[in-house]
Amino acid sequence: MEFSAEAKASILVDALPYIQKFYGKTIVIKYGGNAMINDDLKNKVMHDIVLMKYVGIRPIIVHGGGPDITDFLQRIGKKSQFINGLRVTDKETIQIAEMVLVGKINSEIVSRLNGLSVRAVGLNGKDAKLIIAHKKLAAVHDDNGKIRKIDIGFVGEVEKINTDILNDLLDQNYVPVIAPIGVGIDGAGYNINADYVAAEVAGAMHAEKLLLLTDIEGIYKDYNDKSTFISTLTQEQARRMIADGSINGGMIPKVEACLCSLIKGTAKTSIIDGRQAHSLILELFTSQGIGTQVIR
C-alpha cells in the first residue's frame, strides 16, 4: 500500500508525542524468538533500533540464542538436557554457549547495526564485570513430592549489574549489545536466561521501558480464546495468573522478568510479538501499541 505524502506526514505528526515522551530515555530490548531467526524480521528489528537511536532514545539490547546453542551441540553430537527449562551446562557446554552467544550472535547484531551507521558495541558479563553472577540451582520434586535443589553446572543468576560501563557507552552515543553470559567471583562463566538478564539490566538502569520480544501476541486469560487478550496487566494480577496456572510454560519466565524489572526500578514493561514487522516502533510510537504491558 502506497501512502500519499500528506498521509506520511500525518503518521509522523501522530508519532511526535511518543517521540517527545521517550526522548533521552533508556529502553532495554530483549531480542529473541523468531525475530532472531527470520532474516527479514532481523532487518526490520535493526531498522527499528536505528530509528529509536536517531530520535534520541538510548537503547540497550540483550539477546538470547538458545536454539543456536542447541543446533551447535547437535552438530558435535552432544545432546541438550533441560531441567525445569534450564539447560544442564557442563564445562564443554558453557564454552560452546560463550562461543555461540558472544562470537556468533552478538557479533552479527553489532555488525548489522554498524552497517546501518549506528555505533554498537558488543558486551558480555565478563567485560568490565558487567554481569556478576552466582550459580543457580534447579528446584526439582523428589519421589516424596519434596522440593530439592540440584546442581546443573554453569547456569547462573544475576547478582549485580555494572551500570557504569553502560552509562559510559550510552553517553558516548553507543548502543550496548549484551550477550547473557555472567561471571562469578572466581572468574567462571555462567549461562543465564536472557529474559532475566534484560530485566536486571532494565531495573539497574532505571529504564523507561523493558520490551521483551517473543513469539506470541501477548498474554491471554485463556490462550485458546483469542477474545481474552489482555493489553494491560498489573503486578498483582500477573502473580495471581501465575499462581492459578493461567500464565504457564515459557510465558512464566517472561512475566517474572517483567515483575523483577518493575520491582528494581523500570517504569513499564511490555511483552510484544516479535513476529510482527516493526513491532518495536508499533509499541513505542502508536497510541494502541501492541502486546501486553505489565505495570505497577
Side-chain angles (χ1 to χ4, degrees):
M1 180 186 297
E2 184 65 29
F3 291 98
S4 68
E6 185 177 355
K8 291 177 181 177
S10 178
I11 291 169
L12 291 172
V13 170
D14 288 344
L16 181 58
Y18 305 101
I19 294 172
Q20 292 173 317
K21 176 182 177 180
F22 294 119
Y23 181 83
K25 301 293 178 62
T26 298
I27 291 180
V28 176
I29 302 153
K30 188 300 178 109
Y31 178 39
N34 198 53
M36 284 186 66
I37 301 169
N38 181 295
D39 200 60
D40 182 55
L41 286 174
K42 282 184 184 180
N43 289 331
K44 287 181 168 59
V45 169
M46 294 302 114
H47 280 97
D48 284 2
I49 293 167
V50 171
L51 177 59
M52 291 167 62
K53 182 65 181 169
Y54 276 94
V55 297
I57 293 172
R58 291 154 55 101
I60 298 173
I61 303 166
V62 178
H63 64 82
D68 290 87
I69 296 171
T70 299
D71 181 62
F72 195 95
L73 289 170
Q74 286 177 340
R75 279 190 271 162
I76 65 169
K78 192 175 182 72
K79 186 177 180 181
S80 295
Q81 181 185 356
F82 293 88
I83 296 176
N84 289 350
L86 300 171
R87 186 189 302 272
V88 177
T89 306
D90 59 16
K91 190 171 184 179
E92 183 183 35
T93 302
I94 188 61
Q95 291 173 344
I96 289 169
E98 288 192 40
M99 180 182 69
V100 171
L101 291 168
V102 179
K104 178 180 180 290
I105 299 173
N106 191 276
S107 61
E108 180 190 348
I109 296 168
V110 169
S111 178
R112 282 176 179 264
L113 288 172
N114 287 340
L116 294 168
S117 300
V118 164
R119 300 197 303 170
V121 175
L123 300 166
N124 70 84
K126 294 182 177 182
D127 295 317
K129 295 183 178 179
L130 171 62
I131 307 169
I132 302 296
H134 57 264
K135 182 186 289 285
K136 181 180 179 70
L137 300 177
V140 298
H141 289 87
D142 61 21
D143 293 338
N144 297 318
K146 293 183 178 179
I147 295 176
R148 61 187 179 90
K149 300 290 184 73
I150 61 171
D151 190 336
I152 52 174
F154 295 91
V155 176
E157 57 186 331
V158 177
E159 195 168 303
K160 183 182 177 182
I161 300 293
N162 176 8
T163 57
D164 290 343
I165 184 172
L166 295 176
N167 280 315
D168 287 346
L169 288 170
L170 292 172
D171 290 344
Q172 294 298 317
N173 210 30
Y174 289 97
V175 175
V177 181
I178 303 171
I181 296 291
V183 62
I185 57 173
D186 58 354
Y190 289 98
N191 188 21
I192 309 175
N193 180 295
D195 291 330
Y196 294 130
V197 172
E200 294 282 355
V201 169
M205 293 295 292
H206 297 284
E208 180 68 20
K209 208 166 178 67
L210 167 65
L211 302 175
L212 298 174
L213 293 180
T214 185
D215 285 342
I216 63 172
E217 296 86 351
I219 298 172
Y220 295 85
K221 289 181 181 177
D222 177 359
Y223 184 72
N224 296 314
D225 182 355
K226 299 303 181 182
S227 69
T228 65
F229 180 79
I230 302 170
S231 59
T232 300
L233 197 63
T234 66
Q235 289 175 294
E236 184 180 347
Q237 289 170 328
R239 291 191 183 96
R240 282 204 304 265
M241 289 181 70
I242 291 173
D244 68 20
S246 300
I247 294 173
N248 54 49
M251 187 56 74
I252 291 177
K254 298 190 182 303
V255 175
E256 287 182 339
C258 290
L259 296 174
C260 168
S261 189
L262 290 168
I263 290 169
K264 297 200 173 183
T266 306
K268 286 186 178 181
T269 67
S270 291
I271 297 170
I272 63 175
D273 189 354
R275 301 169 304 175
Q276 185 166 350
H278 298 298
S279 56
L280 295 173
I281 298 304
L282 289 169
E283 170 62 18
L284 291 174
F285 300 140
T286 63
S287 59
Q288 67 271 27
I290 62 172
T292 300
Q293 63 173 349
V294 183
I295 61 173
R296 290 190 177 90

